[in-house]
């Protein structure tokens, strides 16, 4: 969907969808340009541009680049990487909701929801083909459900807080202060599943789409997020594990040929999996459509600060010794996932040995490095603007490996056997199969398979009830005697202190106070 963003800019300039005042975040859509809202919904091009606008925030730094990742950074897999008081406070759960790094996801999520509501409200009445209507409505239902999924588990619960406001095409023009939080996040999950089921019914398979539409929502993405919604719902209602299995199977059997990238060469397979060469192949179900001119900046955020003098890496989110140790010795994923001192890697067409004078842990994530390895990558495989360090690689949000591990977990939680799906992931990594896998095996496998990804290690620990125990332990790194020398010796030292995670309220994050004031809803308890 590379060229849709050109049309998107023109659309945003003309109608300014989603730009709202702080007093009416959920409802205001007054036109700020020359085209009025009432006169916009006339042509097929209007409908397509309105639908395209929903994808704008997928690429935003505050969403699927650094935004939600600041909360994933709270996990035991990584440390902030650089001295940064705001980032450190987020990791230490010392937050108000107004921190610049994390204050925009809630508002921007609702902006996408508002844009989806407009499509759902207006497109059915337009004089355009039914096939076009179906596709655009399917995309709108998906994007609304997808963003509610992220907002719901980030800010809502089944306890004292409840869910987050449900704004639809029917109530979006209500007064801003009239919205209430549902009694439980389960109501949000019910709504998400309903939206995603509608999307799945309307959307094509990815394999039925033309290359020009790559990046748009498709059937497998909707089915996959139904499965993950049920997985998160199951922490409150174990009967939902059966639904996880049903929808994981629906992805597998959809007809799109979903499969792991597996040629029986574990190291090569996992390396090339995390590269632009596999952006649109069988394993990538949903990702941030990226390129040298835009997309998720996460690869550059994780790159060595200042990129060894060759590129403006930002140096955040550095792996811990604890994560490195979690990998089995012969796991081919370990070196593809993490760079340690002395490891050889390609950078700007040359072979280098990893060393860092900046990393606070002595490690760097390697998953996102492939595009930096090419000769003359600037402007070819990476952005020429180091302040917007995107690459050709589509940053993954949902991979087929997660479908397999969600199904395995759900089977185990029901007292069944999850070996088959778990072992497909292990075998791709070059590891021996396990027999009679337990939940502990799932916890291990999710951690090493999805390290440094949006699969969300932090929320896994929360939903499993493990966060308080895990975060009560300090985190370690390798401190080298000469950080300019890749072969220097090191000592394992504490790089992050133990944290006091209170599961009575820290299982959700604070809602930005701007949204509290504008909407009149209550803040999450304890923050």
């Amino acid at each position: 969907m590379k060229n849709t963003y050109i049309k998107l800019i023109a659309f945003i300039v003309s109608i300014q969808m989603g730009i709202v005042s702080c007093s009416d975040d959920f409802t205001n859509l007054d036109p700020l340009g020359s085209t009025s809202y009432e006169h916009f919904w006339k042509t097929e091009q209007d409908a397509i541009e309105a639908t395209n606008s929903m994808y704008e925030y997928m690429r935003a730094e505050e969403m699927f680049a650094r935004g939600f990742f600041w909360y994933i950074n709270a996990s035991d897999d990584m440390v902030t990487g650089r001295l940064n008081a705001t980032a450190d406070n987020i990791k230490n759960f010392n937050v108000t909701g107004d921190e610049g790094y994390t204050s925009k996801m809630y508002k921007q999520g609702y902006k996408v929801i508002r844009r989806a509501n407009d499509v759902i409200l207006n497109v059915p009445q337009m004089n355009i083909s039914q096939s076009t209507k179906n596709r655009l409505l399917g995309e709108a239902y998906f994007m609304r459900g997808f963003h509610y999924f992220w907002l719901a588990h980030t800010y809502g619960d089944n306890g004292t807080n409840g869910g987050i406001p449900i704004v639809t095409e029917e109530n979006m023009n209500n007064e801003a202060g009239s919205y209430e939080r549902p009694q439980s996040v389960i109501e949000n999950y019910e709504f998400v599943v309903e939206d995603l089921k509608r999307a799945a019914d309307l959307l094509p398979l990815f394999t039925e789409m033309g290359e020009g539409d790559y990046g748009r929502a498709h059937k497998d993405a909707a089915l996959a997020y139904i499965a993950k919604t049920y997985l998160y719902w199951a922490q409150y209602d174990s009967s939902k594990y059966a639904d996880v299995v049903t929808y994981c199977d629906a992805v597998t059997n959809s007809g799109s040929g979903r499969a792991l990238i597996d040629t029986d060469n574990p190291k090569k397979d996992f390396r090339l999996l995390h590269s632009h060469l596999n952006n649109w192949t069988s394993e990538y179900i949903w990702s941030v459509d990226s390129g040298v001119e835009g997309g998720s900046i996460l690869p550059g955020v994780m790159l060595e600060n200042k990129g060894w003098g060759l590129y403006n890496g930002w140096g955040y989110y550095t792996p811990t010794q604890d994560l490195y140790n979690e990998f089995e010795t012969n796991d081919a994923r370990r070196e593809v996932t993490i760079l340690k001192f002395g490891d050889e890697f390609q950078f700007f067409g040359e072979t280098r040995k990893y060393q860092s004078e900046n990393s606070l842990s002595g490690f760097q994530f390697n998953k996102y490095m492939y595009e930096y390895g090419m000769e003359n990558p600037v402007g070819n495989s990476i952005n020429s603007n180091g302040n917007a360090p995107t690459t050709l690689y589509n940053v993954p949000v949902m991979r087929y490996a997660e479908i397999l591990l969600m199904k395995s977990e759900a089977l185990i939680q029901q007292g069944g056997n999850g070996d088959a799906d778990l072992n497909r992931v292990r075998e791709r990594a070059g590891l021996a199969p396990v027999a009679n896998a337990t939940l502990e095996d799932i916890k291990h496998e999710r951690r090493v398979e999805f390290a440094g990804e949006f699969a969300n290690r932090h929320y896994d620990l929360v939903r499993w009830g493990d966060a308080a125990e895990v975060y009560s332990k300090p985190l370690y790194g390798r401190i080298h005697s000469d950080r300019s020398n890749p072969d220097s010796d090191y000592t394992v030292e504490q790089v992050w202190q133990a944290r006091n995670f209170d599961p009575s309220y820290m299982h959700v994050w604070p809602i930005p106070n701007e949204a509290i004031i504008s909407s009149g809803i209550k803040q999450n308890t304890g923050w």
Side-chain angles (χ1 to χ4, degrees), residues 294-312:
S296 174
I297 63 171
L298 189 61
V301 171
M302 288 184 169
L303 177 65
E304 165 77 2
N305 187 26
K306 304 302 180 183
W308 300 283
L310 295 176
Y311 193 74
N312 187 31

Side-chain angles (χ1 to χ4, degrees), residues 92-96 153-157 159-161 458 462 500-511 523-527:
N92 289 330
F93 309 104
N94 180 25
V95 290
T96 65
H153 74 262
T154 302
Y155 302 107
D157 66 18
T160 58
N161 298 308
H458 167 69
V462 169
N500 295 317
F501 179 89
D502 186 342
S504 70
Y505 74 96
M506 291 179 180
H507 61 293
V508 292
W509 294 91
I511 296 172
Q523 179 60 275
N524 284 331
T525 302
W527 293 107

Side-chain angles (χ1 to χ4, degrees), residues 351-366:
T351 300
R352 299 176 64 103
K353 281 189 174 183
Y354 175 73
Q355 54 76 216
S356 172
E357 298 184 51
N358 300 294
S359 172
L360 296 183
S361 68
F363 296 100
Q364 180 186 300
F365 277 111
N366 189 30

